[in-house]
Amino acid sequence: MNILVTGGAGYIGSHTCIELLDAGFTPIVFDNLSNSSTIALDRVKQITGQTITFIKGDVRDAEALDHVFNEYNIYAVIHFAGLKAVGESVEKPLMYYDNNVSGSITLFGAMERNTVSRVIFSSSATVYGDPATVPITEDFPTSTTNPYGGSKLIIEDVLKNIHIAHPEWNIALLRYFNPVGAHKSGLIGEDPNDIPNNLMPYISGVAVGKLEQLSIFGGDYPTPDGTGVRDYIHVVDLAKGHVKALQAFENPSVDNLYTVNLGTGKGYSVLEMVAAFNKASNKPIKYQITDRRAGDIACCYADPSYAKTLIDWEATMGVQVMCDDTWRWQSNHPTGYKTND
Ligand code: NAD
Ligand code: WQD
């Protein structure tokens, strides 16, 4: 069965392609390469022995999408394509709404025209804003503090409205917590274009000697050690969640529209992550505690039990594996996909 994977050359998309192939699906990747490289797909071939059909294209291009839907018999779409840097979204809101929201609307329109009616959408824990309590269940109120989060909430709403108009569509809204880690081969992983915004690529950049020291954003949060607590989830566990979500479309007892958290249910502080990475890499991670980062919250972790009940998915890997696998990728490829094998 052909699965159109928008954004499939990216970090989560490339890992998901491996799991799709492993489960017998055929990923067709559609990506404009604005934040990725086809080398990731070459590496997927190296890992799986299978070549992936790749189409360079933008999800805002209706004609290009019609062409793909005409050419391939698409069973379902996994929609990863989007911009994801929170700070950049504050500076360039129109770019984010255009790329993420307009792109999604154009994609869903092409699906409707071409009678493709199954879609999995990459949403985010950011839609919970600053939660009143933890762990977070799917029925918590949603809110947004930046255009990136705003774009995710709008797209969720668009899909909920499509469900009202077309109740026969199968729609999965997957709210990811903090994806980290890399494939155990060390051949693919996260490869930020610029100075990383997220914690894990920053720590690994310090360990490998690319970055001088980590700034820990705030040491005075109401958490056990004063640093922010998050629910880090291994990207391969997350990728497997997409296969489970696809399989759930065939389960008559699962509603045609559903929302699930993909997290581990455990929270780790920044200092705990630094210690785990130090253990994985055997390198000192130089850091200093600085001011809080605007918009950050103290603590965020999922209640992932609904995903277990509904789509039979749960995370299996802990933070030490996440750090070990990140280090294997980072130390083998200090400059990401620019490092030749
Ligand atoms: P990524 O940047 O590695 O992958 C996104 C891919 O989409 C890239 O390959 C990029 O080139 C492509 N893309 C962007 N705009 C496009 C467009 N208009 N047309 C076609 N392709 C386009 O990011 P990722 O971490 O793999 O994230 C995948 C999805 O998951 C995104 O939607 C992101 O918002 C969401 N998400 C990510 C995280 C995270 O922390 N990584 C957390 C929650 C949700
Ligand atoms: C984690 C912790 C920081 C960097 C973001 C998005 C969210 C989702 C995942 C897409 C926090 C601290 C970080 C650094 C630090 N992405 N930190 N120094 O902010 O939880 O979530 O990525 O959907 O929408 O908002 O992730 O990795 O940036 O931060 O101290 O250099 O690490 O303060 O406590 P975050 P993060």
Side-chain angles (χ1 to χ4, degrees), residues 257-314:
L257 167 74
Y258 66 86
T259 305
V260 290
N261 288 337
L262 297 184
T264 66
K266 294 185 192 74
Y268 288 89
S269 74
V270 178
L271 285 171
E272 286 175 316
M273 294 308 284
V274 168
F277 208 88
N278 173 254
K279 192 170 168 202
S281 62
N282 204 18
K283 301 275 179 199
I285 316 290
K286 203 174 157 203
Y287 68 81
Q288 63 166 346
I289 297 194
T290 62
D291 288 346
R292 293 179 179 191
R293 180 171 65 179
D296 270 359
I297 57 177
C299 183
C300 170
Y301 59 91
D303 177 339
S305 54
Y306 189 54
K308 175 71 184 153
T309 311
L310 194 75
I311 65 169
D312 187 33
W313 172 90
E314 66 187 329

Short mmCIF file of all heavy atoms in Angstrom, two decimals, residues 257-314:
data_model
loop_
_atom_site.label_atom_id
_atom_site.label_comp_id
_atom_site.label_asym_id
_atom_site.label_seq_id
_atom_site.Cartn_x
_atom_site.Cartn_y
_atom_site.Cartn_z
N LEU A 257 -12.19 9.91 13.51
CA LEU A 257 -11.28 11.01 13.89
C LEU A 257 -10.82 10.75 15.31
O LEU A 257 -11.65 10.54 16.21
CB LEU A 257 -12.02 12.35 13.85
CG LEU A 257 -11.28 13.52 14.52
CD1 LEU A 257 -10.12 14.00 13.66
CD2 LEU A 257 -12.21 14.68 14.79
N TYR A 258 -9.52 10.71 15.51
CA TYR A 258 -9.04 10.56 16.89
C TYR A 258 -7.77 11.36 17.11
O TYR A 258 -7.04 11.69 16.18
CB TYR A 258 -8.86 9.09 17.27
CG TYR A 258 -7.77 8.35 16.52
CD1 TYR A 258 -6.45 8.40 16.97
CD2 TYR A 258 -8.06 7.61 15.39
CE1 TYR A 258 -5.45 7.71 16.29
CE2 TYR A 258 -7.06 6.93 14.71
CZ TYR A 258 -5.76 6.99 15.16
OH TYR A 258 -4.77 6.33 14.49
N THR A 259 -7.56 11.70 18.40
CA THR A 259 -6.39 12.48 18.82
C THR A 259 -5.66 11.68 19.88
O THR A 259 -6.29 11.25 20.86
CB THR A 259 -6.86 13.81 19.46
OG1 THR A 259 -7.70 14.48 18.53
CG2 THR A 259 -5.69 14.70 19.83
N VAL A 260 -4.35 11.47 19.70
CA VAL A 260 -3.60 10.80 20.77
C VAL A 260 -2.27 11.49 21.04
O VAL A 260 -1.62 12.02 20.13
CB VAL A 260 -3.31 9.29 20.51
CG1 VAL A 260 -4.57 8.46 20.58
CG2 VAL A 260 -2.58 9.06 19.22
N ASN A 261 -1.89 11.45 22.31
CA ASN A 261 -0.57 11.88 22.73
C ASN A 261 0.44 10.79 22.40
O ASN A 261 0.20 9.62 22.69
CB ASN A 261 -0.53 12.04 24.26
CG ASN A 261 -1.30 13.24 24.75
OD1 ASN A 261 -1.52 14.19 24.01
ND2 ASN A 261 -1.70 13.20 26.02
N LEU A 262 1.60 11.19 21.83
CA LEU A 262 2.70 10.25 21.70
C LEU A 262 3.85 10.76 22.58
O LEU A 262 4.58 11.68 22.22
CB LEU A 262 3.14 10.09 20.24
CG LEU A 262 2.10 9.51 19.28
CD1 LEU A 262 2.69 9.31 17.88
CD2 LEU A 262 1.50 8.19 19.76
N GLY A 263 3.92 10.18 23.76
CA GLY A 263 4.96 10.53 24.73
C GLY A 263 5.24 9.28 25.56
O GLY A 263 4.62 8.23 25.35
N THR A 264 6.17 9.41 26.50
CA THR A 264 6.51 8.24 27.33
C THR A 264 5.76 8.25 28.65
O THR A 264 5.67 7.22 29.33
CB THR A 264 8.01 8.21 27.67
OG1 THR A 264 8.31 9.33 28.51
CG2 THR A 264 8.87 8.26 26.42
N GLY A 265 5.31 9.44 29.07
CA GLY A 265 4.66 9.56 30.37
C GLY A 265 5.65 9.88 31.48
O GLY A 265 5.27 9.99 32.65
N LYS A 266 6.93 10.03 31.11
CA LYS A 266 7.94 10.34 32.14
C LYS A 266 8.59 11.67 31.80
O LYS A 266 8.90 11.95 30.65
CB LYS A 266 9.03 9.26 32.18
CG LYS A 266 8.51 7.92 32.63
CD LYS A 266 9.66 6.94 32.76
CE LYS A 266 9.16 5.52 32.93
NZ LYS A 266 8.63 4.93 31.69
N GLY A 267 8.84 12.46 32.85
CA GLY A 267 9.49 13.76 32.64
C GLY A 267 10.93 13.73 33.12
O GLY A 267 11.23 13.16 34.17
N TYR A 268 11.82 14.34 32.35
CA TYR A 268 13.23 14.47 32.74
C TYR A 268 13.64 15.93 32.68
O TYR A 268 13.23 16.66 31.78
CB TYR A 268 14.14 13.64 31.80
CG TYR A 268 13.99 12.16 32.06
CD1 TYR A 268 13.02 11.44 31.38
CD2 TYR A 268 14.76 11.52 33.01
CE1 TYR A 268 12.83 10.08 31.64
CE2 TYR A 268 14.59 10.16 33.28
CZ TYR A 268 13.63 9.45 32.59
OH TYR A 268 13.45 8.12 32.86
N SER A 269 14.48 16.34 33.64
CA SER A 269 14.92 17.73 33.67
C SER A 269 16.10 17.92 32.72
O SER A 269 16.73 16.95 32.28
CB SER A 269 15.35 18.10 35.10
OG SER A 269 16.59 17.50 35.39
N VAL A 270 16.42 19.19 32.46
CA VAL A 270 17.56 19.50 31.59
C VAL A 270 18.83 18.90 32.21
O VAL A 270 19.63 18.27 31.50
CB VAL A 270 17.71 21.03 31.40
CG1 VAL A 270 18.94 21.33 30.55
CG2 VAL A 270 16.46 21.62 30.76
N LEU A 271 19.01 19.06 33.51
CA LEU A 271 20.22 18.53 34.15
C LEU A 271 20.27 17.00 34.07
O LEU A 271 21.35 16.42 33.88
CB LEU A 271 20.31 19.00 35.60
CG LEU A 271 20.73 20.47 35.76
CD1 LEU A 271 20.58 20.92 37.22
CD2 LEU A 271 22.17 20.69 35.29
N GLU A 272 19.14 16.35 34.18
CA GLU A 272 19.12 14.88 34.02
C GLU A 272 19.52 14.48 32.60
O GLU A 272 20.23 13.49 32.40
CB GLU A 272 17.74 14.32 34.37
CG GLU A 272 17.46 14.33 35.86
CD GLU A 272 16.03 13.89 36.19
OE1 GLU A 272 15.07 14.34 35.50
OE2 GLU A 272 15.86 13.12 37.15
N MET A 273 19.08 15.26 31.62
CA MET A 273 19.44 14.95 30.23
C MET A 273 20.94 15.18 30.00
O MET A 273 21.59 14.41 29.30
CB MET A 273 18.61 15.80 29.25
CG MET A 273 17.13 15.49 29.27
SD MET A 273 16.73 13.74 29.05
CE MET A 273 17.01 13.53 27.30
N VAL A 274 21.47 16.23 30.61
CA VAL A 274 22.91 16.49 30.48
C VAL A 274 23.69 15.32 31.08
O VAL A 274 24.64 14.81 30.48
CB VAL A 274 23.28 17.82 31.18
CG1 VAL A 274 24.79 17.96 31.32
CG2 VAL A 274 22.71 19.01 30.40
N ALA A 275 23.25 14.83 32.24
CA ALA A 275 23.95 13.71 32.89
C ALA A 275 23.86 12.45 32.03
O ALA A 275 24.85 11.73 31.87
CB ALA A 275 23.35 13.47 34.28
N ALA A 276 22.68 12.19 31.47
CA ALA A 276 22.51 10.99 30.63
C ALA A 276 23.39 11.10 29.38
O ALA A 276 23.97 10.10 28.92
CB ALA A 276 21.05 10.81 30.24
N PHE A 277 23.51 12.29 28.83
CA PHE A 277 24.32 12.45 27.62
C PHE A 277 25.81 12.34 27.94
O PHE A 277 26.58 11.79 27.15
CB PHE A 277 24.03 13.78 26.90
CG PHE A 277 24.30 13.65 25.43
CD1 PHE A 277 23.30 13.21 24.57
CD2 PHE A 277 25.56 13.89 24.89
CE1 PHE A 277 23.55 13.02 23.22
CE2 PHE A 277 25.82 13.70 23.55
CZ PHE A 277 24.81 13.28 22.71
N ASN A 278 26.16 12.82 29.10
CA ASN A 278 27.55 12.70 29.55
C ASN A 278 27.94 11.22 29.66
O ASN A 278 29.00 10.78 29.22
CB ASN A 278 27.68 13.45 30.88
CG ASN A 278 29.04 13.23 31.51
OD1 ASN A 278 29.16 12.50 32.48
ND2 ASN A 278 30.07 13.85 30.94
N LYS A 279 27.00 10.43 30.20
CA LYS A 279 27.24 9.00 30.34
C LYS A 279 27.36 8.34 28.95
O LYS A 279 28.22 7.49 28.72
CB LYS A 279 26.08 8.39 31.14
CG LYS A 279 26.32 7.01 31.60
CD LYS A 279 25.24 6.56 32.59
CE LYS A 279 25.35 5.06 32.81
NZ LYS A 279 24.11 4.49 33.28
N ALA A 280 26.49 8.75 28.02
CA ALA A 280 26.49 8.14 26.68
C ALA A 280 27.77 8.45 25.92
O ALA A 280 28.32 7.61 25.23
CB ALA A 280 25.28 8.63 25.88
N SER A 281 28.24 9.69 26.05
CA SER A 281 29.33 10.15 25.18
C SER A 281 30.69 10.08 25.87
O SER A 281 31.72 10.16 25.20
CB SER A 281 29.07 11.61 24.77
OG SER A 281 29.06 12.44 25.92
N ASN A 282 30.64 10.00 27.20
CA ASN A 282 31.88 10.08 27.97
C ASN A 282 32.63 11.38 27.70
O ASN A 282 33.86 11.42 27.70
CB ASN A 282 32.74 8.85 27.67
CG ASN A 282 33.68 8.56 28.80
OD1 ASN A 282 33.47 9.04 29.92
ND2 ASN A 282 34.75 7.81 28.53
N LYS A 283 31.87 12.43 27.38
CA LYS A 283 32.45 13.76 27.12
C LYS A 283 31.86 14.72 28.15
O LYS A 283 30.68 14.61 28.50
CB LYS A 283 32.06 14.28 25.73
CG LYS A 283 32.49 13.40 24.59
CD LYS A 283 33.90 13.72 24.19
CE LYS A 283 34.35 12.80 23.05
NZ LYS A 283 35.76 12.74 22.89
N PRO A 284 32.67 15.68 28.58
CA PRO A 284 32.10 16.69 29.47
C PRO A 284 31.13 17.58 28.69
O PRO A 284 31.39 17.92 27.53
CB PRO A 284 33.33 17.49 29.91
CG PRO A 284 34.36 17.24 28.86
CD PRO A 284 34.07 15.92 28.24
N ILE A 285 29.99 17.92 29.30
CA ILE A 285 29.03 18.83 28.65
C ILE A 285 29.10 20.14 29.43
O ILE A 285 28.50 20.26 30.51
CB ILE A 285 27.58 18.29 28.69
CG1 ILE A 285 27.50 16.80 28.35
CG2 ILE A 285 26.64 19.15 27.83
CD1 ILE A 285 27.76 16.43 26.93
N LYS A 286 29.85 21.09 28.90
CA LYS A 286 29.99 22.36 29.60
C LYS A 286 28.65 23.11 29.54
O LYS A 286 28.04 23.19 28.46
CB LYS A 286 31.09 23.18 28.89
CG LYS A 286 31.72 24.23 29.75
CD LYS A 286 32.89 24.87 29.01
CE LYS A 286 33.13 26.23 29.59
NZ LYS A 286 33.81 27.12 28.67
N TYR A 287 28.22 23.63 30.70
CA TYR A 287 26.97 24.40 30.67
C TYR A 287 27.01 25.53 31.68
O TYR A 287 27.83 25.53 32.61
CB TYR A 287 25.77 23.49 30.95
CG TYR A 287 25.69 22.96 32.37
CD1 TYR A 287 25.18 23.72 33.43
CD2 TYR A 287 26.14 21.67 32.65
CE1 TYR A 287 25.11 23.22 34.71
CE2 TYR A 287 26.08 21.15 33.94
CZ TYR A 287 25.56 21.94 34.97
OH TYR A 287 25.51 21.43 36.24
N GLN A 288 26.13 26.52 31.45
CA GLN A 288 25.89 27.53 32.48
C GLN A 288 24.38 27.77 32.55
O GLN A 288 23.68 27.65 31.53
CB GLN A 288 26.62 28.83 32.16
CG GLN A 288 26.17 29.51 30.89
CD GLN A 288 26.67 30.95 30.77
OE1 GLN A 288 27.14 31.54 31.73
NE2 GLN A 288 26.52 31.52 29.58
N ILE A 289 23.93 28.09 33.76
CA ILE A 289 22.50 28.37 33.91
C ILE A 289 22.26 29.83 33.63
O ILE A 289 22.94 30.71 34.19
CB ILE A 289 22.03 27.94 35.31
CG1 ILE A 289 22.24 26.42 35.42
CG2 ILE A 289 20.57 28.34 35.53
CD1 ILE A 289 21.60 25.70 36.53
N THR A 290 21.35 30.10 32.70
CA THR A 290 21.07 31.49 32.30
C THR A 290 19.60 31.81 32.59
O THR A 290 18.91 31.02 33.23
CB THR A 290 21.34 31.68 30.79
OG1 THR A 290 20.44 30.83 30.07
CG2 THR A 290 22.76 31.32 30.41
N ASP A 291 19.15 32.97 32.08
CA ASP A 291 17.75 33.35 32.27
C ASP A 291 16.82 32.34 31.59
O ASP A 291 17.22 31.65 30.65
CB ASP A 291 17.49 34.71 31.63
CG ASP A 291 18.15 35.82 32.44
OD1 ASP A 291 18.55 35.55 33.60
OD2 ASP A 291 18.29 36.93 31.90
N ARG A 292 15.58 32.37 32.03
CA ARG A 292 14.56 31.54 31.37
C ARG A 292 14.40 32.01 29.92
O ARG A 292 14.60 33.19 29.62
CB ARG A 292 13.21 31.70 32.07
CG ARG A 292 13.19 31.13 33.47
CD ARG A 292 11.81 31.35 34.08
NE ARG A 292 11.73 30.79 35.43
CZ ARG A 292 10.59 30.64 36.11
NH1 ARG A 292 9.45 31.03 35.58
NH2 ARG A 292 10.60 30.11 37.32
N ARG A 293 14.01 31.10 29.03
CA ARG A 293 13.70 31.46 27.64
C ARG A 293 12.23 31.88 27.58
O ARG A 293 11.37 31.18 28.13
CB ARG A 293 13.96 30.25 26.74
CG ARG A 293 13.70 30.46 25.28
CD ARG A 293 14.18 29.27 24.45
NE ARG A 293 13.47 28.02 24.71
CZ ARG A 293 13.70 26.87 24.10
NH1 ARG A 293 14.66 26.78 23.19
NH2 ARG A 293 13.00 25.78 24.40
N ALA A 294 11.96 32.99 26.90
CA ALA A 294 10.58 33.49 26.82
C ALA A 294 9.67 32.41 26.25
O ALA A 294 10.03 31.73 25.28
CB ALA A 294 10.53 34.72 25.93
N GLY A 295 8.51 32.24 26.88
CA GLY A 295 7.53 31.29 26.36
C GLY A 295 7.69 29.87 26.88
O GLY A 295 6.82 29.03 26.66
N ASP A 296 8.81 29.58 27.58
CA ASP A 296 9.01 28.21 28.10
C ASP A 296 8.11 27.96 29.31
O ASP A 296 7.78 28.88 30.06
CB ASP A 296 10.47 28.01 28.53
CG ASP A 296 11.34 27.49 27.39
OD1 ASP A 296 10.82 27.28 26.28
OD2 ASP A 296 12.55 27.30 27.63
N ILE A 297 7.78 26.69 29.50
CA ILE A 297 7.01 26.31 30.68
C ILE A 297 7.89 25.43 31.58
O ILE A 297 8.93 24.94 31.14
CB ILE A 297 5.70 25.58 30.29
CG1 ILE A 297 6.01 24.34 29.44
CG2 ILE A 297 4.78 26.53 29.54
CD1 ILE A 297 4.78 23.53 29.08
N ALA A 298 7.43 25.26 32.83
CA ALA A 298 8.25 24.51 33.78
C ALA A 298 8.27 23.02 33.46
O ALA A 298 9.32 22.39 33.40
CB ALA A 298 7.72 24.73 35.20
N CYS A 299 7.09 22.48 33.23
CA CYS A 299 6.99 21.02 33.22
C CYS A 299 5.91 20.55 32.24
O CYS A 299 4.81 21.14 32.21
CB CYS A 299 6.63 20.58 34.64
SG CYS A 299 6.53 18.82 34.83
N CYS A 300 6.24 19.56 31.46
CA CYS A 300 5.30 19.06 30.46
C CYS A 300 5.57 17.58 30.22
O CYS A 300 6.67 17.22 29.79
CB CYS A 300 5.52 19.86 29.17
SG CYS A 300 4.68 19.24 27.72
N TYR A 301 4.63 16.73 30.59
CA TYR A 301 4.74 15.33 30.17
C TYR A 301 3.36 14.72 29.97
O TYR A 301 2.37 15.19 30.51
CB TYR A 301 5.64 14.49 31.09
CG TYR A 301 5.26 14.41 32.53
CD1 TYR A 301 4.42 13.40 32.99
CD2 TYR A 301 5.75 15.34 33.45
CE1 TYR A 301 4.09 13.32 34.34
CE2 TYR A 301 5.42 15.26 34.79
CZ TYR A 301 4.59 14.25 35.23
OH TYR A 301 4.27 14.19 36.56
N ALA A 302 3.37 13.69 29.12
CA ALA A 302 2.10 13.12 28.65
C ALA A 302 1.55 12.08 29.60
O ALA A 302 2.29 11.41 30.31
CB ALA A 302 2.34 12.44 27.30
N ASP A 303 0.24 11.93 29.53
CA ASP A 303 -0.38 10.66 29.92
C ASP A 303 -0.57 9.92 28.60
O ASP A 303 -1.44 10.28 27.81
CB ASP A 303 -1.73 10.91 30.61
CG ASP A 303 -2.42 9.60 30.97
OD1 ASP A 303 -2.07 8.56 30.36
OD2 ASP A 303 -3.32 9.62 31.83
N PRO A 304 0.25 8.90 28.33
CA PRO A 304 0.16 8.23 27.03
C PRO A 304 -0.79 7.04 27.01
O PRO A 304 -0.79 6.26 26.06
CB PRO A 304 1.61 7.79 26.79
CG PRO A 304 2.14 7.53 28.17
CD PRO A 304 1.36 8.37 29.15
N SER A 305 -1.62 6.89 28.06
CA SER A 305 -2.37 5.63 28.18
C SER A 305 -3.45 5.48 27.10
O SER A 305 -3.78 4.37 26.70
CB SER A 305 -2.98 5.50 29.58
OG SER A 305 -3.74 6.63 29.88
N TYR A 306 -3.96 6.62 26.59
CA TYR A 306 -5.01 6.52 25.56
C TYR A 306 -4.44 5.90 24.27
O TYR A 306 -5.11 5.10 23.60
CB TYR A 306 -5.61 7.89 25.29
CG TYR A 306 -6.83 7.87 24.41
CD1 TYR A 306 -7.93 7.06 24.70
CD2 TYR A 306 -6.89 8.67 23.27
CE1 TYR A 306 -9.05 7.03 23.87
CE2 TYR A 306 -8.01 8.66 22.44
CZ TYR A 306 -9.08 7.84 22.75
OH TYR A 306 -10.18 7.82 21.93
N ALA A 307 -3.19 6.24 23.94
CA ALA A 307 -2.56 5.66 22.74
C ALA A 307 -2.44 4.15 22.88
O ALA A 307 -2.63 3.41 21.91
CB ALA A 307 -1.18 6.28 22.51
N LYS A 308 -2.18 3.70 24.09
CA LYS A 308 -2.07 2.25 24.33
C LYS A 308 -3.44 1.59 24.12
O LYS A 308 -3.57 0.58 23.43
CB LYS A 308 -1.54 2.01 25.75
CG LYS A 308 -1.49 0.58 26.19
CD LYS A 308 -0.41 -0.21 25.48
CE LYS A 308 -0.42 -1.67 25.86
NZ LYS A 308 0.13 -2.53 24.82
N THR A 309 -4.46 2.21 24.70
CA THR A 309 -5.80 1.63 24.61
C THR A 309 -6.31 1.67 23.17
O THR A 309 -6.86 0.70 22.66
CB THR A 309 -6.78 2.47 25.48
OG1 THR A 309 -6.18 2.63 26.75
CG2 THR A 309 -8.14 1.83 25.61
N LEU A 310 -6.13 2.82 22.53
CA LEU A 310 -6.79 3.03 21.24
C LEU A 310 -6.03 2.40 20.07
O LEU A 310 -6.61 1.72 19.24
CB LEU A 310 -6.96 4.53 20.99
CG LEU A 310 -7.92 4.88 19.86
CD1 LEU A 310 -9.36 4.67 20.31
CD2 LEU A 310 -7.71 6.31 19.38
N ILE A 311 -4.72 2.66 20.00
CA ILE A 311 -3.98 2.20 18.80
C ILE A 311 -2.89 1.18 19.16
O ILE A 311 -2.06 0.86 18.32
CB ILE A 311 -3.40 3.39 17.99
CG1 ILE A 311 -2.33 4.17 18.78
CG2 ILE A 311 -4.51 4.31 17.52
CD1 ILE A 311 -1.55 5.17 17.93
N ASP A 312 -2.91 0.71 20.41
CA ASP A 312 -1.98 -0.33 20.85
C ASP A 312 -0.52 0.09 20.68
O ASP A 312 0.32 -0.67 20.21
CB ASP A 312 -2.26 -1.63 20.04
CG ASP A 312 -1.43 -2.79 20.57
OD1 ASP A 312 -1.18 -2.83 21.78
OD2 ASP A 312 -1.00 -3.63 19.75
N TRP A 313 -0.26 1.34 21.06
CA TRP A 313 1.13 1.85 20.95
C TRP A 313 1.61 2.31 22.31
O TRP A 313 0.86 2.94 23.06
CB TRP A 313 1.19 3.04 19.97
CG TRP A 313 2.55 3.70 19.98
CD1 TRP A 313 3.60 3.37 19.19
CD2 TRP A 313 2.99 4.76 20.84
NE1 TRP A 313 4.69 4.17 19.49
CE2 TRP A 313 4.35 5.03 20.50
CE3 TRP A 313 2.40 5.51 21.86
CZ2 TRP A 313 5.11 6.01 21.14
CZ3 TRP A 313 3.16 6.49 22.50
CH2 TRP A 313 4.49 6.73 22.14
N GLU A 314 2.86 2.00 22.61
CA GLU A 314 3.50 2.63 23.77
C GLU A 314 5.00 2.73 23.51
O GLU A 314 5.57 1.92 22.77
CB GLU A 314 3.21 1.89 25.08
CG GLU A 314 3.77 0.52 25.18
CD GLU A 314 3.30 -0.21 26.43
OE1 GLU A 314 3.04 0.41 27.47
OE2 GLU A 314 3.21 -1.45 26.35
#
